[in-house]
Amino acid sequence: MRILWISPWFGNYRVPVYACLNQLSNGNFYLICSQENTSDLVRKKLKEALGDHAVVMSGEKRMTMGNDASDFANKSLVLKKQPGLYRAIKELNPDVVITEGFGGWAPAGIRYAVLHGKKLCMFYERTAYVERNSPKWRTMYRKIMGIPVKYFLINGHLTNEYLTNELGFKKTPKVEGCMCADSYGLAEAVSHFGAKERAELKQRLDLHPGLTFLFVGQMVERKGIKELLQAWGQHIANHPQDNLIVIGKGILLDVLKEQYKDESSIHILGGINYDLLYQYYALCDVFVMPTLEDNWCLVVPEAMACRKPVACSIYNGGHYELVKDGVNGYNFDPLQQNSIVETLNKFHHADLNTMGEMSVEIESNYTPDKAAQRIFDACKKKFEER
């Protein structure tokens, strides 16, 4: 059984899943991705994992309509075309094709599977909340394009609800738990980052002796970083020795750095090389994700794998599976400032070590090997059906 995954964009977190799929398929896993949409580091790791089974294409053409200044869902429409994509799929001659959703490069994979009688699986992440502003034509398009899909490979319960209730794919099989973080690499790196190194980093950042909260994500409106920083002023009035470390790049970075440059408890560091990110997971006491809209925010299970309690927005699709109130953290509404303040305060009265251990236990069901096994089993099941 030869499996082909068509994924123009992905981050470091996905490479371990691809490597596991290659092992499970006895070297019969292939991937097509985009040079323009992946980083040098990702492509380097991908080549190490898959060798020439990773096909990197370039020259993507795209046209954007609507408000491309916003990264909230359904504010714009991006049409993509990759020259030579269909030919590349045909040359690989897969038995099972996995596409990323309904748009982007997916139509080429769907077309190939339908015309050549191949099994079609779709990796899908969206939730009803993320798609709350989806126009009717887009919903109808998805209902039509999803007809030939034999298996939906999804992240969790909220995506299952959207596919079933909103798009009408009640009878199409779905397997949850196909999304994961790079839990192996990060957790291993954190475990080797000793007390001396943590103390040195803490001193270099000039941190106060209270709790240290960490945000990692894009510095954009959608991630709720403005709401978190606004609420932080009230939190720090109650807990003046606490710290907030903010890591990420984006359109709001320079604006927020200037706005909070005199606040000693806030450390806006900008972008950090992914291979150094573990140091900040090791240093923090609590991870906080205030997103206003996300499918299944990957930094949350990353932090959990590093034994961190989590404060998570209710607008993150992954909160349903990952964050259990009072067990490994708390969920909150970032659009309500009191909700943020009250949630951050709760960690001063919680057993953070026990919460961290529970984070590891919960996240252990969403590791790269388990995600890959679920995906492979779905592909195999459909391949063997005649």
Side-chain angles (χ1 to χ4, degrees):
M1 177 181 66
R2 178 174 291 197
I3 303 172
L4 170 63
W5 194 322
I6 305 168
S7 180
W9 178 92
F10 53 88
N12 293 272
Y13 61 90
R14 194 77 74 78
V15 177
V17 176
Y18 296 149
C20 288
L21 282 168
N22 198 37
Q23 293 175 351
L24 290 168
S25 63
N26 295 316
N28 282 302
F29 176 77
Y30 295 79
L31 176 83
I32 297 179
C33 68
S34 166
Q35 180 172 317
E36 290 87 353
N37 296 316
T38 52
S39 68
D40 292 340
L41 178 60
V42 165
R43 292 195 302 276
K44 178 177 179 290
K45 292 184 175 182
L46 186 64
K47 284 295 184 181
E48 291 172 353
L50 299 182
D52 60 4
H53 283 207
V55 179
V56 181
M57 306 193 73
S58 61
E60 179 189 77
K61 302 179 187 301
R62 58 170 60 197
M63 180 174 66
T64 302
M65 295 179 285
N67 178 17
D68 60 353
S70 172
D71 68 336
F72 283 91
N74 297 298
K75 293 297 183 181
S76 65
L77 172 65
V78 182
L79 301 177
K80 302 176 183 179
K81 181 180 180 181
Q82 175 57 56
L85 176 58
Y86 189 82
R87 182 171 62 253
I89 298 171
K90 191 173 182 179
E91 288 175 354
L92 289 173
N93 190 29
D95 300 299
V96 179
V97 177
I98 302 175
T99 66
E100 293 269 343
F102 300 93
W105 291 12
I110 295 172
R111 176 187 168 202
Y112 178 82
V114 171
L115 292 179
H116 296 270
K118 307 297 185 178
K119 303 298 182 180
L120 176 64
C121 296
M122 182 180 288
F123 185 82
Y124 197 65
E125 306 178 58
R126 296 300 180 104
T127 67
Y129 178 75
V130 170
E131 292 303 306
R132 64 195 181 281
N133 296 317
S134 178
K136 291 182 179 179
W137 67 261
R138 180 171 276 168
T139 299
M140 183 58 64
Y141 166 82
R142 290 172 177 165
K143 289 181 176 181
I144 294 171
M145 294 296 281
I147 291 173
V149 174
K150 303 301 181 185
Y151 227 119
F152 283 105
L153 316 171
I154 62 178
N155 41 21
H157 175 75
L158 296 180
T159 297
N160 197 333
E161 281 190 343
Y162 174 65
L163 287 169
T164 300
N165 300 330
E166 303 295 327
L167 296 186
F169 297 117
K170 296 179 174 64
K171 296 182 179 180
T172 307
K174 306 167 192 70
V175 57
E176 298 180 15
C178 295
M179 179 65 82
C180 68
D182 182 15
S183 52
Y184 297 151
L186 283 169
E188 179 71 11
V190 166
S191 69
H192 288 94
F193 194 64
K196 181 181 178 182
E197 289 85 357
R198 297 183 198 197
E200 290 174 350
L201 179 57
K202 186 174 182 178
Q203 184 177 15
R204 190 159 69 247
L205 293 173
D206 193 23
L207 297 184
H208 298 154
L211 295 183
T212 295
F213 293 82
L214 173 66
F215 165 90
V216 177
Q218 293 173 288
M219 298 289 282
V220 294
E221 298 274 358
R222 180 173 60 87
K223 288 296 183 177
I225 184 60
K226 289 173 65 176
E227 285 74 10
L228 174 61
L229 289 170
Q230 288 167 3
W232 185 258
Q234 188 174 339
H235 172 78
I236 208 67
N238 300 323
H239 302 284
Q241 296 301 303
D242 280 3
N243 310 278
L244 175 62
I245 297 175
V246 177
I247 293 176
K249 297 185 292 185
I251 195 170
L252 296 179
L253 175 58
D254 292 339
V255 174
L256 294 177
K257 284 188 75 170
E258 177 64 23
Q259 183 176 348
Y260 293 98
K261 64 181 180 180
D262 296 325
E263 177 50 69
S264 64
S265 67
I266 297 175
H267 305 264
I268 301 177
L269 306 184
I272 298 292
N273 187 298
Y274 183 81
D275 285 346
L276 299 178
L277 192 56
Y278 73 91
Q279 298 178 6
Y280 299 89
Y281 280 122
L283 184 65
C284 77
D285 298 295
V286 178
F287 185 82
V288 55
M289 175 42 64
T291 184
L292 306 182
E293 179 185 285
D294 254 307
N295 297 314
W296 212 81
C297 199
L298 285 163
V299 288
V300 171
E302 282 183 356
M304 291 169 61
C306 297
R307 285 184 160 75
K308 300 302 169 181
V310 177
C312 186
S313 164
I314 58 173
Y315 306 119
N316 170 30
H319 83 275
Y320 187 95
E321 288 84 20
L322 297 174
V323 182
K324 310 298 181 184
D325 281 319
V327 177
N328 71 313
Y330 303 97
N331 293 294
F332 65 93
D333 185 347
L335 296 177
Q336 303 294 325
Q337 185 166 315
N338 285 342
S339 181
I340 301 176
V341 175
E342 291 171 3
T343 298
L344 297 183
N345 176 64
K346 288 178 181 179
F347 290 99
H348 279 271
H349 310 283
D351 184 338
L352 300 186
N353 288 331
T354 298
M355 278 190 165
E357 293 301 320
M358 291 306 300
S359 278
V360 173
E361 183 175 327
I362 294 170
E363 192 276 337
S364 67
N365 197 41
Y366 302 95
T367 54
D369 60 326
K370 290 183 179 178
Q373 188 68 61
R374 293 175 183 123
I375 293 167
F376 178 77
D377 289 346
C379 292
K380 183 179 179 182
K381 180 177 181 180
K382 287 302 164 184
F383 173 71
E384 293 176 347
E385 287 182 356
R386 298 300 178 188

